[in-house]
Amino acid sequence: MLMFGTVAAGPENIPPPKAKYDEDTLCVEPVEIMRRQHFEYILDHRDRTVIEGIRTKKHSLIGCIDCHITPNDEGVYARYSQETHFCASCHQFAAVRIDCFQCHADRPAEAIREALKPDQHARRPVQELLETLQFSTAVFTK
Amino acid sequence: MRDTLDTTEEISTGRRQFTQGVAALGGLAIAPGVFLYHAAGAKPDDQAVSSQQRWGMLVNTNNCHEECDACVTACNEENGVWSLGRPETDAQWIRKLNVRDRQTGHVTSMPMMCQHCEHPPCVDVCPTRASFRREDGIVLVNKHTCIGCRYCMMACPYKARSFIHEPLQDQLPHSPRGKGCVESCTLCVHKVDQGDNTTACAEACAEEGHEALLFGDLNDPESEISKRLEKYGGTQIRADLGLNTGVRYQGI
């Protein structure tokens, strides 16, 4: 856990979040707590959502992604396989390997809809999929 | 009193019938004109779903066209169930069936999907309790606990579930999907939770002008689906299994 004490050391060019959740705490909880314990909030919230149907945004992964993953100057949203992705920037530094984004979207809905212009998803070549997978694992084995 | 219990029995068999019956009585009328159950619509985001609702679907096969697959397309679009170009292993949340009577030649067309049973065999067999029935009757897979054993796929009499064999990408935020998990129709649970009171397939069917699909609350006697079921009845597919399905069919 100690290593999380040194997190701010990601790449400089990460696009800033959409908004401050709160003037004092900035994020949904104080930043120091979020850096060390964000996964506990998400873990707790995921069961409430899946099992009980509670859909509050405050501690939801969708809420995190919606706010933190913003386009860069060229209007491009980073993928989790890139170190400019908000989550990846720290996970790579701290050598944390998660599997959230094997299933969950790593970008807000608008970015995915944009990427999924008609026919793009209809018949995606196998090769492209395999390349994506190798690329994302390569990030963690370098 | 007797009447209310009898009505309940039609849509709920088994042990829970008694408690549900009592709950229904409690919910129906505290005083004349005062009702405890919620009208179908948005629940607050921070409120858990409850068994006051039981979401279901009514399929009128007389309105379902043999050549139409708008429900399937809409489902795939809504939930990001893209084809990977290999139909044998592509996920199917909803599919169209055309059943021909050999004697008369009459073709009955209908969509087939998770029937959202009250007593789901998929839940019975799941070794990790990943397959579960939500309080409001929607049968789901908790993909966080699913280990991909596929017992549920074997147990389901409706072949409603699919296994994801390959890594996926471009999943939609409201519909996380991935390799190694079983998945099936969620009755558009994300839409239900935001109070849309419909599903992608039912919307698409209505847009086509067929109106063969009707989504609604089976526990709410005032809902369109309950009224139609009360008046015209609805068949359960494989009713002999006693699963009390949430999806009912007419015209079969």
Side-chain angles (χ1 to χ4, degrees), chain A residues 46-47 50-56 62 79 102-105 107-109 112-113 116 121-124 126 128-129 132-133, chain B residues 43 45-49 77 82-86 132 134 140 142 144 167-173 176-178 189-190 193:
Chain A
R46 90 174 189 196
D47 290 338
V50 176
I51 297 166
E52 297 173 29
I54 289 170
R55 298 269 177 181
T56 48
I62 292 184
R79 306 295 312 269
Q102 285 176 18
C103 295
H104 284 278
R107 293 157 293 165
I112 292 170
R113 288 285 178 201
L116 290 176
H121 58 261
R123 301 234 181 256
R124 187 175 291 279
V126 193
E128 191 187 323
L129 264 176
T132 319
L133 183 71
Chain B
K43 70 166 179 61
D45 278 348
D46 60 350
Q47 190 182 305
V49 294
E77 279 295 317
W82 329 122
S83 166
L84 291 161
R86 287 172 287 287
F132 71 104
R134 230 168 63 143
L140 294 173
N142 184 347
H144 302 112
L168 304 178
Q169 59 177 22
D170 294 335
Q171 294 94 326
L172 301 173
R177 314 169 54 228
V189 65
H190 57 286
D193 283 348

Side-chain angles (χ1 to χ4, degrees), chain A residues 56-105:
Chain A
T56 48
K57 277 276 157 53
K58 189 174 177 187
H59 293 132
S60 82
L61 183 61
I62 292 184
C64 304
I65 295 292
D66 271 352
C67 187
H68 279 287
I69 309 303
T70 50
N72 63 13
D73 295 340
E74 282 105 54
V76 181
Y77 290 84
R79 306 295 312 269
Y80 185 70
S81 54
Q82 298 165 319
E83 62 177 9
T84 48
H85 187 278
F86 177 80
C87 307
S89 64
C90 191
H91 291 165
Q92 286 187 26
F93 179 80
V96 174
R97 185 169 180 176
I98 57 159
D99 53 12
C100 305
F101 298 113
Q102 285 176 18
C103 295
H104 284 278

